[in-house]
Amino acid sequence: MEIPRELADALRGARAVAALTGSGVSAESGVPTFRDARSGLWERFDPEELATPEAFLRDPKLVWEWYSWRRGLVLRAEPNPAHRALAELERRVLCFTLITQNVDGLHRRAGSGNVIELHGNILRTVCSAERIPREPGGGSPPRCPHCGAPLRPDVVWFGEALPPGALEEASKAARGCEVFLCVGTSGVVYPAAGLPREAAEAGALLVEINPERTPVTSLADFVLRGRAGEALPALVAAAFSGG
Ligand code: BV8
């Protein structure tokens, strides 16, 4: 993939860089994107319906099993070149912040350190009554050993607040960076989807990496129209290896 020289030079010269990732970054690891997480027996369910407190209250077993299916996919997945390129970028840039909407933990497994998980992590389980981490036992869903309430995945559902401080930290990184990469997200879920505009309005160079157009496209200074697993390694090579 051809990387504009101006973009490569800007990335190499940046003191602070931030990246917002969505499930498109994990697509090449075999983890279905959020809005595609309805394949197979989950075909007839709408992820936006299942990822809600109401769905869990109505049918905890169904929601728990959907997450167990997704957790299984994540545990079998490996970080792909997109995740690894972002971990490399963190090693190359003085101040790098990775803001992810993904709940699969693949950025940390690829070696990224400064990761803000805006929507939690599917591999952690909490008591649904206290939101305190608990080890899942058997059953579907398993019960909290202390209060008996059903356990739930430690993710942010629609209508729920983001983890305390996460959005403030992400917003600070967006406003303080010179280059903001928006990778593999449809840009429709707020408040995360507001970060690219916030970065651009604060003067950052905004780059979108996505095979498709999104609401971010019209704001972007550069658009790399392709897969993250191809574009990100090409971008890092062009900026830091003279590639
Ligand atoms: C909140 C965790 C308030 C769970 C998720 C009306 C207008 C505006 C906002 C709202 C509204 N009504 C309600 C809201 C708020 C709502 C919202 O934004 N709704 C949307 C749908 C309109 N937001 C919330 O509810 C948030 N909370 O506002 O709280 C509050 C405050 C105080 C106190 C109480 C309450 C919480 C939102 C978090 C929801 N949880 N996930 C789980 O995963 O099960 S969001 C979910 O969507 C995932 O985390 C996912 O990351 C996120 C965004 O989706 P994407 O990652 O972008 O994935 P998607 O499939 O959409 O797109 C994939 C993209 O990848 C595509 O563009 C594709 O082209 C691209 N792609 C594919 N392959 C590749 C690729 N790109 C690169 N390379 C590839 N190979």
PDB file of all heavy atoms in Angstrom, residues 22-24 27-28 33-35 48 67 70 101 103 119 156 158-161 184-186 188-190 210-212 227-228, ligand 1:
ATOM      1  N   GLY A  22     -11.181   0.016  16.523  1.00  0.00           N
ATOM      2  CA  GLY A  22     -12.455  -0.689  16.619  1.00  0.00           C
ATOM      3  C   GLY A  22     -12.243  -2.132  16.181  1.00  0.00           C
ATOM      4  O   GLY A  22     -11.116  -2.555  15.892  1.00  0.00           O
ATOM      5  N   SER A  23     -13.326  -2.854  16.106  1.00  0.00           N
ATOM      6  CA  SER A  23     -13.221  -4.307  15.907  1.00  0.00           C
ATOM      7  C   SER A  23     -12.643  -4.681  14.553  1.00  0.00           C
ATOM      8  O   SER A  23     -12.214  -5.825  14.343  1.00  0.00           O
ATOM      9  CB  SER A  23     -14.602  -4.952  16.097  1.00  0.00           C
ATOM     10  OG  SER A  23     -15.539  -4.328  15.262  1.00  0.00           O
ATOM     11  N   GLY A  24     -12.564  -3.725  13.622  1.00  0.00           N
ATOM     12  CA  GLY A  24     -11.935  -4.003  12.323  1.00  0.00           C
ATOM     13  C   GLY A  24     -10.473  -4.370  12.469  1.00  0.00           C
ATOM     14  O   GLY A  24      -9.916  -5.113  11.642  1.00  0.00           O
ATOM     15  N   ALA A  27     -10.345  -8.047  12.990  1.00  0.00           N
ATOM     16  CA  ALA A  27     -11.006  -8.883  11.955  1.00  0.00           C
ATOM     17  C   ALA A  27     -10.022  -9.892  11.366  1.00  0.00           C
ATOM     18  O   ALA A  27     -10.355 -11.051  11.148  1.00  0.00           O
ATOM     19  CB  ALA A  27     -11.581  -7.979  10.866  1.00  0.00           C
ATOM     20  N   GLU A  28      -8.769  -9.451  11.127  1.00  0.00           N
ATOM     21  CA  GLU A  28      -7.785 -10.352  10.492  1.00  0.00           C
ATOM     22  C   GLU A  28      -7.206 -11.356  11.492  1.00  0.00           C
ATOM     23  O   GLU A  28      -6.368 -12.171  11.133  1.00  0.00           O
ATOM     24  CB  GLU A  28      -6.685  -9.508   9.820  1.00  0.00           C
ATOM     25  CG  GLU A  28      -7.236  -8.717   8.628  1.00  0.00           C
ATOM     26  CD  GLU A  28      -6.413  -7.514   8.272  1.00  0.00           C
ATOM     27  OE1 GLU A  28      -5.423  -7.661   7.543  1.00  0.00           O
ATOM     28  OE2 GLU A  28      -6.776  -6.410   8.727  1.00  0.00           O
ATOM     29  N   THR A  33     -16.181  -8.723  13.376  1.00  0.00           N
ATOM     30  CA  THR A  33     -16.375  -7.338  13.819  1.00  0.00           C
ATOM     31  C   THR A  33     -17.680  -7.286  14.620  1.00  0.00           C
ATOM     32  O   THR A  33     -18.504  -8.201  14.559  1.00  0.00           O
ATOM     33  CB  THR A  33     -16.486  -6.381  12.612  1.00  0.00           C
ATOM     34  OG1 THR A  33     -17.636  -6.755  11.866  1.00  0.00           O
ATOM     35  CG2 THR A  33     -15.229  -6.429  11.773  1.00  0.00           C
ATOM     36  N   PHE A  34     -17.833  -6.202  15.378  1.00  0.00           N
ATOM     37  CA  PHE A  34     -18.963  -6.165  16.314  1.00  0.00           C
ATOM     38  C   PHE A  34     -20.286  -6.373  15.593  1.00  0.00           C
ATOM     39  O   PHE A  34     -21.131  -7.164  16.015  1.00  0.00           O
ATOM     40  CB  PHE A  34     -18.994  -4.831  17.061  1.00  0.00           C
ATOM     41  CG  PHE A  34     -20.080  -4.788  18.095  1.00  0.00           C
ATOM     42  CD1 PHE A  34     -19.969  -5.537  19.262  1.00  0.00           C
ATOM     43  CD2 PHE A  34     -21.240  -4.067  17.887  1.00  0.00           C
ATOM     44  CE1 PHE A  34     -20.978  -5.541  20.215  1.00  0.00           C
ATOM     45  CE2 PHE A  34     -22.264  -4.074  18.830  1.00  0.00           C
ATOM     46  CZ  PHE A  34     -22.127  -4.816  20.001  1.00  0.00           C
ATOM     47  N   ARG A  35     -20.444  -5.654  14.468  1.00  0.00           N
ATOM     48  CA  ARG A  35     -21.732  -5.766  13.782  1.00  0.00           C
ATOM     49  C   ARG A  35     -21.819  -7.025  12.929  1.00  0.00           C
ATOM     50  O   ARG A  35     -22.857  -7.325  12.376  1.00  0.00           O
ATOM     51  CB  ARG A  35     -22.002  -4.471  12.993  1.00  0.00           C
ATOM     52  CG  ARG A  35     -22.596  -3.444  13.935  1.00  0.00           C
ATOM     53  CD  ARG A  35     -22.344  -1.997  13.608  1.00  0.00           C
ATOM     54  NE  ARG A  35     -22.766  -1.226  14.767  1.00  0.00           N
ATOM     55  CZ  ARG A  35     -22.002  -1.043  15.847  1.00  0.00           C
ATOM     56  NH1 ARG A  35     -20.779  -1.521  15.883  1.00  0.00           N
ATOM     57  NH2 ARG A  35     -22.428  -0.373  16.908  1.00  0.00           N
ATOM     58  N   GLU A  48     -26.357  -5.252  18.958  1.00  0.00           N
ATOM     59  CA  GLU A  48     -26.713  -4.056  19.740  1.00  0.00           C
ATOM     60  C   GLU A  48     -27.859  -4.337  20.699  1.00  0.00           C
ATOM     61  O   GLU A  48     -28.052  -3.630  21.685  1.00  0.00           O
ATOM     62  CB  GLU A  48     -27.082  -2.898  18.796  1.00  0.00           C
ATOM     63  CG  GLU A  48     -25.843  -2.242  18.216  1.00  0.00           C
ATOM     64  CD  GLU A  48     -26.205  -1.024  17.379  1.00  0.00           C
ATOM     65  OE1 GLU A  48     -27.238  -0.385  17.661  1.00  0.00           O
ATOM     66  OE2 GLU A  48     -25.451  -0.747  16.450  1.00  0.00           O
ATOM     67  N   TYR A  67     -21.690 -14.238  25.023  1.00  0.00           N
ATOM     68  CA  TYR A  67     -20.334 -13.814  25.409  1.00  0.00           C
ATOM     69  C   TYR A  67     -19.383 -15.013  25.533  1.00  0.00           C
ATOM     70  O   TYR A  67     -18.213 -14.901  25.186  1.00  0.00           O
ATOM     71  CB  TYR A  67     -20.388 -12.985  26.699  1.00  0.00           C
ATOM     72  CG  TYR A  67     -20.784 -11.563  26.413  1.00  0.00           C
ATOM     73  CD1 TYR A  67     -22.110 -11.147  26.513  1.00  0.00           C
ATOM     74  CD2 TYR A  67     -19.847 -10.642  25.974  1.00  0.00           C
ATOM     75  CE1 TYR A  67     -22.487  -9.857  26.199  1.00  0.00           C
ATOM     76  CE2 TYR A  67     -20.211  -9.345  25.652  1.00  0.00           C
ATOM     77  CZ  TYR A  67     -21.529  -8.959  25.760  1.00  0.00           C
ATOM     78  OH  TYR A  67     -21.894  -7.673  25.423  1.00  0.00           O
ATOM     79  N   ARG A  70     -18.199 -15.670  22.076  1.00  0.00           N
ATOM     80  CA  ARG A  70     -17.228 -14.655  21.651  1.00  0.00           C
ATOM     81  C   ARG A  70     -15.917 -14.817  22.398  1.00  0.00           C
ATOM     82  O   ARG A  70     -14.830 -14.668  21.824  1.00  0.00           O
ATOM     83  CB  ARG A  70     -17.816 -13.253  21.843  1.00  0.00           C
ATOM     84  CG  ARG A  70     -18.935 -12.917  20.867  1.00  0.00           C
ATOM     85  CD  ARG A  70     -19.550 -11.584  21.192  1.00  0.00           C
ATOM     86  NE  ARG A  70     -18.578 -10.509  21.087  1.00  0.00           N
ATOM     87  CZ  ARG A  70     -18.787  -9.283  21.606  1.00  0.00           C
ATOM     88  NH1 ARG A  70     -19.897  -9.023  22.275  1.00  0.00           N
ATOM     89  NH2 ARG A  70     -17.879  -8.344  21.468  1.00  0.00           N
ATOM     90  N   GLN A 101     -11.866   0.404  21.461  1.00  0.00           N
ATOM     91  CA  GLN A 101     -13.256   0.058  21.765  1.00  0.00           C
ATOM     92  C   GLN A 101     -13.381  -1.463  21.895  1.00  0.00           C
ATOM     93  O   GLN A 101     -14.433  -1.968  22.294  1.00  0.00           O
ATOM     94  CB  GLN A 101     -14.185   0.520  20.639  1.00  0.00           C
ATOM     95  CG  GLN A 101     -14.149   2.005  20.377  1.00  0.00           C
ATOM     96  CD  GLN A 101     -14.923   2.351  19.129  1.00  0.00           C
ATOM     97  OE1 GLN A 101     -16.133   2.576  19.155  1.00  0.00           O
ATOM     98  NE2 GLN A 101     -14.225   2.371  18.003  1.00  0.00           N
ATOM     99  N   VAL A 103     -12.916  -5.322  23.069  1.00  0.00           N
ATOM    100  CA  VAL A 103     -12.966  -5.965  24.388  1.00  0.00           C
ATOM    101  C   VAL A 103     -12.173  -7.272  24.384  1.00  0.00           C
ATOM    102  O   VAL A 103     -12.248  -8.050  25.326  1.00  0.00           O
ATOM    103  CB  VAL A 103     -14.437  -6.234  24.791  1.00  0.00           C
ATOM    104  CG1 VAL A 103     -15.201  -4.923  24.935  1.00  0.00           C
ATOM    105  CG2 VAL A 103     -15.147  -7.153  23.798  1.00  0.00           C
ATOM    106  N   HIS A 119     -14.326   0.117  26.431  1.00  0.00           N
ATOM    107  CA  HIS A 119     -15.540  -0.695  26.588  1.00  0.00           C
ATOM    108  C   HIS A 119     -15.315  -1.955  27.397  1.00  0.00           C
ATOM    109  O   HIS A 119     -16.116  -2.883  27.328  1.00  0.00           O
ATOM    110  CB  HIS A 119     -16.112  -1.050  25.207  1.00  0.00           C
ATOM    111  CG  HIS A 119     -16.547   0.148  24.432  1.00  0.00           C
ATOM    112  ND1 HIS A 119     -16.676   0.144  23.062  1.00  0.00           N
ATOM    113  CD2 HIS A 119     -16.865   1.408  24.816  1.00  0.00           C
ATOM    114  CE1 HIS A 119     -17.069   1.341  22.643  1.00  0.00           C
ATOM    115  NE2 HIS A 119     -17.184   2.126  23.694  1.00  0.00           N
ATOM    116  N   VAL A 156     -18.691  -2.759  28.768  1.00  0.00           N
ATOM    117  CA  VAL A 156     -19.654  -1.664  28.863  1.00  0.00           C
ATOM    118  C   VAL A 156     -20.791  -1.941  27.892  1.00  0.00           C
ATOM    119  O   VAL A 156     -20.564  -1.995  26.677  1.00  0.00           O
ATOM    120  CB  VAL A 156     -18.980  -0.316  28.509  1.00  0.00           C
ATOM    121  CG1 VAL A 156     -19.990   0.825  28.576  1.00  0.00           C
ATOM    122  CG2 VAL A 156     -17.793  -0.051  29.433  1.00  0.00           C
ATOM    123  N   PHE A 158     -24.571  -1.026  26.031  1.00  0.00           N
ATOM    124  CA  PHE A 158     -25.230   0.202  25.564  1.00  0.00           C
ATOM    125  C   PHE A 158     -26.113   0.740  26.698  1.00  0.00           C
ATOM    126  O   PHE A 158     -26.824  -0.016  27.358  1.00  0.00           O
ATOM    127  CB  PHE A 158     -26.044  -0.087  24.302  1.00  0.00           C
ATOM    128  CG  PHE A 158     -25.179  -0.321  23.093  1.00  0.00           C
ATOM    129  CD1 PHE A 158     -24.900  -1.602  22.664  1.00  0.00           C
ATOM    130  CD2 PHE A 158     -24.588   0.754  22.433  1.00  0.00           C
ATOM    131  CE1 PHE A 158     -24.069  -1.828  21.584  1.00  0.00           C
ATOM    132  CE2 PHE A 158     -23.757   0.540  21.336  1.00  0.00           C
ATOM    133  CZ  PHE A 158     -23.489  -0.755  20.920  1.00  0.00           C
ATOM    134  N   GLY A 159     -25.961   2.038  26.938  1.00  0.00           N
ATOM    135  CA  GLY A 159     -26.718   2.660  28.029  1.00  0.00           C
ATOM    136  C   GLY A 159     -25.931   2.679  29.315  1.00  0.00           C
ATOM    137  O   GLY A 159     -26.343   3.294  30.298  1.00  0.00           O
ATOM    138  N   GLU A 160     -24.746   2.042  29.334  1.00  0.00           N
ATOM    139  CA  GLU A 160     -23.918   2.050  30.544  1.00  0.00           C
ATOM    140  C   GLU A 160     -22.776   3.061  30.402  1.00  0.00           C
ATOM    141  O   GLU A 160     -22.308   3.344  29.292  1.00  0.00           O
ATOM    142  CB  GLU A 160     -23.333   0.650  30.794  1.00  0.00           C
ATOM    143  CG  GLU A 160     -24.385  -0.377  31.195  1.00  0.00           C
ATOM    144  CD  GLU A 160     -23.784  -1.706  31.628  1.00  0.00           C
ATOM    145  OE1 GLU A 160     -22.740  -2.120  31.057  1.00  0.00           O
ATOM    146  OE2 GLU A 160     -24.353  -2.347  32.517  1.00  0.00           O
ATOM    147  N   ALA A 161     -22.352   3.567  31.519  1.00  0.00           N
ATOM    148  CA  ALA A 161     -21.235   4.530  31.518  1.00  0.00           C
ATOM    149  C   ALA A 161     -19.919   3.806  31.247  1.00  0.00           C
ATOM    150  O   ALA A 161     -19.786   2.609  31.543  1.00  0.00           O
ATOM    151  CB  ALA A 161     -21.183   5.219  32.878  1.00  0.00           C
ATOM    152  N   GLY A 184     -10.239   0.870  11.845  1.00  0.00           N
ATOM    153  CA  GLY A 184     -11.134  -0.280  11.946  1.00  0.00           C
ATOM    154  C   GLY A 184     -12.356  -0.049  12.785  1.00  0.00           C
ATOM    155  O   GLY A 184     -12.809  -0.943  13.503  1.00  0.00           O
ATOM    156  N   THR A 185     -12.916   1.179  12.707  1.00  0.00           N
ATOM    157  CA  THR A 185     -14.163   1.405  13.429  1.00  0.00           C
ATOM    158  C   THR A 185     -15.178   2.072  12.518  1.00  0.00           C
ATOM    159  O   THR A 185     -14.845   2.903  11.681  1.00  0.00           O
ATOM    160  CB  THR A 185     -13.948   2.268  14.688  1.00  0.00           C
ATOM    161  OG1 THR A 185     -15.201   2.435  15.371  1.00  0.00           O
ATOM    162  CG2 THR A 185     -13.350   3.631  14.371  1.00  0.00           C
ATOM    163  N   SER A 186     -16.441   1.698  12.719  1.00  0.00           N
ATOM    164  CA  SER A 186     -17.514   2.278  11.895  1.00  0.00           C
ATOM    165  C   SER A 186     -17.849   3.688  12.366  1.00  0.00           C
ATOM    166  O   SER A 186     -18.616   4.402  11.733  1.00  0.00           O
ATOM    167  CB  SER A 186     -18.758   1.378  11.962  1.00  0.00           C
ATOM    168  OG  SER A 186     -19.152   1.210  13.315  1.00  0.00           O
ATOM    169  N   VAL A 188     -19.647   4.930  14.824  1.00  0.00           N
ATOM    170  CA  VAL A 188     -21.053   5.243  15.146  1.00  0.00           C
ATOM    171  C   VAL A 188     -21.368   5.158  16.635  1.00  0.00           C
ATOM    172  O   VAL A 188     -22.410   5.616  17.073  1.00  0.00           O
ATOM    173  CB  VAL A 188     -22.038   4.321  14.392  1.00  0.00           C
ATOM    174  CG1 VAL A 188     -21.909   4.487  12.895  1.00  0.00           C
ATOM    175  CG2 VAL A 188     -21.857   2.864  14.781  1.00  0.00           C
ATOM    176  N   VAL A 189     -20.457   4.585  17.418  1.00  0.00           N
ATOM    177  CA  VAL A 189     -20.758   4.389  18.844  1.00  0.00           C
ATOM    178  C   VAL A 189     -20.107   5.503  19.656  1.00  0.00           C
ATOM    179  O   VAL A 189     -18.884   5.674  19.636  1.00  0.00           O
ATOM    180  CB  VAL A 189     -20.271   3.009  19.321  1.00  0.00           C
ATOM    181  CG1 VAL A 189     -20.419   2.877  20.821  1.00  0.00           C
ATOM    182  CG2 VAL A 189     -21.063   1.901  18.619  1.00  0.00           C
ATOM    183  N   TYR A 190     -20.968   6.248  20.360  1.00  0.00           N
ATOM    184  CA  TYR A 190     -20.491   7.357  21.202  1.00  0.00           C
ATOM    185  C   TYR A 190     -20.381   6.895  22.645  1.00  0.00           C
ATOM    186  O   TYR A 190     -21.034   5.908  23.029  1.00  0.00           O
ATOM    187  CB  TYR A 190     -21.481   8.524  21.077  1.00  0.00           C
ATOM    188  CG  TYR A 190     -21.294   9.253  19.764  1.00  0.00           C
ATOM    189  CD1 TYR A 190     -21.859   8.756  18.595  1.00  0.00           C
ATOM    190  CD2 TYR A 190     -20.484  10.381  19.683  1.00  0.00           C
ATOM    191  CE1 TYR A 190     -21.642   9.379  17.373  1.00  0.00           C
ATOM    192  CE2 TYR A 190     -20.263  11.007  18.464  1.00  0.00           C
ATOM    193  CZ  TYR A 190     -20.838  10.497  17.315  1.00  0.00           C
ATOM    194  OH  TYR A 190     -20.600  11.111  16.124  1.00  0.00           O
ATOM    195  N   ASN A 210      -9.430   2.094   6.979  1.00  0.00           N
ATOM    196  CA  ASN A 210     -10.665   1.308   6.941  1.00  0.00           C
ATOM    197  C   ASN A 210     -10.937   0.968   5.479  1.00  0.00           C
ATOM    198  O   ASN A 210     -10.775   1.833   4.617  1.00  0.00           O
ATOM    199  CB  ASN A 210     -11.822   2.161   7.508  1.00  0.00           C
ATOM    200  CG  ASN A 210     -13.032   1.322   7.836  1.00  0.00           C
ATOM    201  OD1 ASN A 210     -13.431   0.448   7.063  1.00  0.00           O
ATOM    202  ND2 ASN A 210     -13.623   1.573   8.990  1.00  0.00           N
ATOM    203  N   PRO A 211     -11.365  -0.282   5.185  1.00  0.00           N
ATOM    204  CA  PRO A 211     -11.678  -0.585   3.779  1.00  0.00           C
ATOM    205  C   PRO A 211     -12.897   0.194   3.267  1.00  0.00           C
ATOM    206  O   PRO A 211     -13.097   0.327   2.072  1.00  0.00           O
ATOM    207  CB  PRO A 211     -11.980  -2.089   3.796  1.00  0.00           C
ATOM    208  CG  PRO A 211     -11.595  -2.592   5.124  1.00  0.00           C
ATOM    209  CD  PRO A 211     -11.530  -1.440   6.051  1.00  0.00           C
ATOM    210  N   GLU A 212     -13.717   0.680   4.219  1.00  0.00           N
ATOM    211  CA  GLU A 212     -14.960   1.367   3.820  1.00  0.00           C
ATOM    212  C   GLU A 212     -15.015   2.806   4.336  1.00  0.00           C
ATOM    213  O   GLU A 212     -14.326   3.160   5.298  1.00  0.00           O
ATOM    214  CB  GLU A 212     -16.157   0.581   4.391  1.00  0.00           C
ATOM    215  CG  GLU A 212     -16.287  -0.811   3.785  1.00  0.00           C
ATOM    216  CD  GLU A 212     -17.355  -1.644   4.495  1.00  0.00           C
ATOM    217  OE1 GLU A 212     -18.169  -1.045   5.253  1.00  0.00           O
ATOM    218  OE2 GLU A 212     -17.349  -2.870   4.322  1.00  0.00           O
ATOM    219  N   ARG A 227      -7.138  -2.759   4.464  1.00  0.00           N
ATOM    220  CA  ARG A 227      -7.172  -3.528   5.697  1.00  0.00           C
ATOM    221  C   ARG A 227      -6.106  -3.012   6.671  1.00  0.00           C
ATOM    222  O   ARG A 227      -5.002  -2.664   6.266  1.00  0.00           O
ATOM    223  CB  ARG A 227      -6.921  -5.017   5.399  1.00  0.00           C
ATOM    224  CG  ARG A 227      -8.011  -5.687   4.585  1.00  0.00           C
ATOM    225  CD  ARG A 227      -7.664  -7.151   4.303  1.00  0.00           C
ATOM    226  NE  ARG A 227      -6.474  -7.290   3.453  1.00  0.00           N
ATOM    227  CZ  ARG A 227      -5.266  -7.625   3.892  1.00  0.00           C
ATOM    228  NH1 ARG A 227      -5.072  -7.816   5.201  1.00  0.00           N
ATOM    229  NH2 ARG A 227      -4.235  -7.724   3.067  1.00  0.00           N
ATOM    230  N   ALA A 228      -6.420  -3.028   7.945  1.00  0.00           N
ATOM    231  CA  ALA A 228      -5.469  -2.552   8.965  1.00  0.00           C
ATOM    232  C   ALA A 228      -4.205  -3.407   8.978  1.00  0.00           C
ATOM    233  O   ALA A 228      -3.099  -2.881   9.165  1.00  0.00           O
ATOM    234  CB  ALA A 228      -6.135  -2.600  10.341  1.00  0.00           C
TER     235      ALA A 228
HETATM  236  C1  BV8 B   1     -23.229   5.790  27.074  1.00  0.00           C
HETATM  237  C2  BV8 B   1     -18.836  -3.608  24.463  1.00  0.00           C
HETATM  238  C3  BV8 B   1     -24.186   7.156  28.755  1.00  0.00           C
HETATM  239  C4  BV8 B   1     -19.823  -4.712  24.515  1.00  0.00           C
HETATM  240  C5  BV8 B   1     -19.752  -1.821  23.079  1.00  0.00           C
HETATM  241  C6  BV8 B   1     -28.101   8.207  19.790  1.00  0.00           C
HETATM  242  C7  BV8 B   1     -27.094   8.994  19.257  1.00  0.00           C
HETATM  243  C8  BV8 B   1     -25.806   8.950  19.761  1.00  0.00           C
HETATM  244  C9  BV8 B   1     -25.509   8.109  20.823  1.00  0.00           C
HETATM  245  C10 BV8 B   1     -26.507   7.338  21.327  1.00  0.00           C
HETATM  246  C11 BV8 B   1     -27.793   7.378  20.826  1.00  0.00           C
HETATM  247  N1  BV8 B   1     -28.535   6.487  21.534  1.00  0.00           N
HETATM  248  C12 BV8 B   1     -27.760   5.905  22.463  1.00  0.00           C
HETATM  249  C13 BV8 B   1     -26.536   6.427  22.354  1.00  0.00           C
HETATM  250  C14 BV8 B   1     -25.386   6.101  23.161  1.00  0.00           C
HETATM  251  C15 BV8 B   1     -24.791   4.759  22.736  1.00  0.00           C
HETATM  252  C16 BV8 B   1     -24.452   4.756  21.269  1.00  0.00           C
HETATM  253  O1  BV8 B   1     -23.489   5.359  20.850  1.00  0.00           O
HETATM  254  N2  BV8 B   1     -25.287   4.069  20.472  1.00  0.00           N
HETATM  255  C17 BV8 B   1     -25.033   4.018  19.038  1.00  0.00           C
HETATM  256  C18 BV8 B   1     -25.330   2.629  18.501  1.00  0.00           C
HETATM  257  C19 BV8 B   1     -25.906   5.073  18.369  1.00  0.00           C
HETATM  258  N3  BV8 B   1     -23.586   4.659  23.521  1.00  0.00           N
HETATM  259  C20 BV8 B   1     -23.633   4.084  24.734  1.00  0.00           C
HETATM  260  O2  BV8 B   1     -24.616   3.570  25.197  1.00  0.00           O
HETATM  261  C21 BV8 B   1     -22.356   4.174  25.531  1.00  0.00           C
HETATM  262  N4  BV8 B   1     -22.666   4.610  26.869  1.00  0.00           N
HETATM  263  O3  BV8 B   1     -23.462   6.607  26.205  1.00  0.00           O
HETATM  264  O4  BV8 B   1     -23.514   5.973  28.397  1.00  0.00           O
HETATM  265  C22 BV8 B   1     -24.185   7.153  30.233  1.00  0.00           C
HETATM  266  C23 BV8 B   1     -23.423   8.093  30.921  1.00  0.00           C
HETATM  267  C24 BV8 B   1     -23.450   8.107  32.298  1.00  0.00           C
HETATM  268  C25 BV8 B   1     -24.195   7.148  33.012  1.00  0.00           C
HETATM  269  C26 BV8 B   1     -24.917   6.171  32.307  1.00  0.00           C
HETATM  270  C27 BV8 B   1     -24.926   6.174  30.918  1.00  0.00           C
HETATM  271  C28 BV8 B   1     -21.708   2.805  25.670  1.00  0.00           C
HETATM  272  C29 BV8 B   1     -21.270   2.325  24.313  1.00  0.00           C
HETATM  273  C30 BV8 B   1     -20.461   1.029  24.477  1.00  0.00           C
HETATM  274  C31 BV8 B   1     -21.284  -0.137  23.999  1.00  0.00           C
HETATM  275  N5  BV8 B   1     -20.453  -1.351  24.064  1.00  0.00           N
HETATM  276  N6  BV8 B   1     -18.977  -2.895  23.207  1.00  0.00           N
HETATM  277  C32 BV8 B   1     -19.491  -5.801  23.533  1.00  0.00           C
HETATM  278  O5  BV8 B   1     -18.499  -5.734  22.780  1.00  0.00           O
HETATM  279  O6  BV8 B   1     -20.280  -6.791  23.535  1.00  0.00           O
HETATM  280  S1  BV8 B   1     -19.765  -1.002  21.615  1.00  0.00           S
HETATM  281  C33 BV8 B   1     -19.406  -2.022  20.328  1.00  0.00           C
HETATM  282  O7  BV8 B   1     -19.434  -1.175  19.169  1.00  0.00           O
HETATM  283  C34 BV8 B   1     -18.009  -2.618  20.328  1.00  0.00           C
HETATM  284  O8  BV8 B   1     -17.206  -2.277  21.444  1.00  0.00           O
HETATM  285  C35 BV8 B   1     -17.354  -1.970  19.132  1.00  0.00           C
HETATM  286  O9  BV8 B   1     -16.040  -1.718  19.328  1.00  0.00           O
HETATM  287  C36 BV8 B   1     -18.115  -0.709  19.053  1.00  0.00           C
HETATM  288  C37 BV8 B   1     -17.965   0.049  17.798  1.00  0.00           C
HETATM  289  O10 BV8 B   1     -18.116  -0.848  16.744  1.00  0.00           O
HETATM  290  P1  BV8 B   1     -16.837  -1.030  15.798  1.00  0.00           P
HETATM  291  O11 BV8 B   1     -15.672  -1.442  16.613  1.00  0.00           O
HETATM  292  O12 BV8 B   1     -16.677   0.195  14.998  1.00  0.00           O
HETATM  293  O13 BV8 B   1     -17.261  -2.277  14.966  1.00  0.00           O
HETATM  294  P2  BV8 B   1     -18.238  -2.321  13.705  1.00  0.00           P
HETATM  295  O14 BV8 B   1     -18.564  -3.749  13.471  1.00  0.00           O
HETATM  296  O15 BV8 B   1     -19.338  -1.330  13.859  1.00  0.00           O
HETATM  297  O16 BV8 B   1     -17.334  -1.761  12.503  1.00  0.00           O
HETATM  298  C38 BV8 B   1     -16.171  -2.464  12.127  1.00  0.00           C
HETATM  299  C39 BV8 B   1     -15.408  -1.548  11.191  1.00  0.00           C
HETATM  300  O17 BV8 B   1     -14.191  -2.194  10.827  1.00  0.00           O
HETATM  301  C40 BV8 B   1     -16.139  -1.246   9.889  1.00  0.00           C
HETATM  302  O18 BV8 B   1     -16.032   0.137   9.599  1.00  0.00           O
HETATM  303  C41 BV8 B   1     -15.380  -2.067   8.850  1.00  0.00           C
HETATM  304  O19 BV8 B   1     -15.361  -1.423   7.583  1.00  0.00           O
HETATM  305  C42 BV8 B   1     -14.004  -2.079   9.440  1.00  0.00           C
HETATM  306  N7  BV8 B   1     -13.169  -3.205   9.045  1.00  0.00           N
HETATM  307  C43 BV8 B   1     -13.543  -4.475   8.750  1.00  0.00           C
HETATM  308  N8  BV8 B   1     -12.436  -5.223   8.459  1.00  0.00           N
HETATM  309  C44 BV8 B   1     -11.362  -4.392   8.606  1.00  0.00           C
HETATM  310  C45 BV8 B   1     -11.819  -3.125   8.984  1.00  0.00           C
HETATM  311  N9  BV8 B   1     -10.992  -2.090   9.200  1.00  0.00           N
HETATM  312  C46 BV8 B   1      -9.671  -2.309   9.030  1.00  0.00           C
HETATM  313  N10 BV8 B   1      -9.147  -3.505   8.684  1.00  0.00           N
HETATM  314  C47 BV8 B   1      -9.958  -4.568   8.469  1.00  0.00           C
HETATM  315  N11 BV8 B   1      -9.427  -5.754   8.100  1.00  0.00           N
END
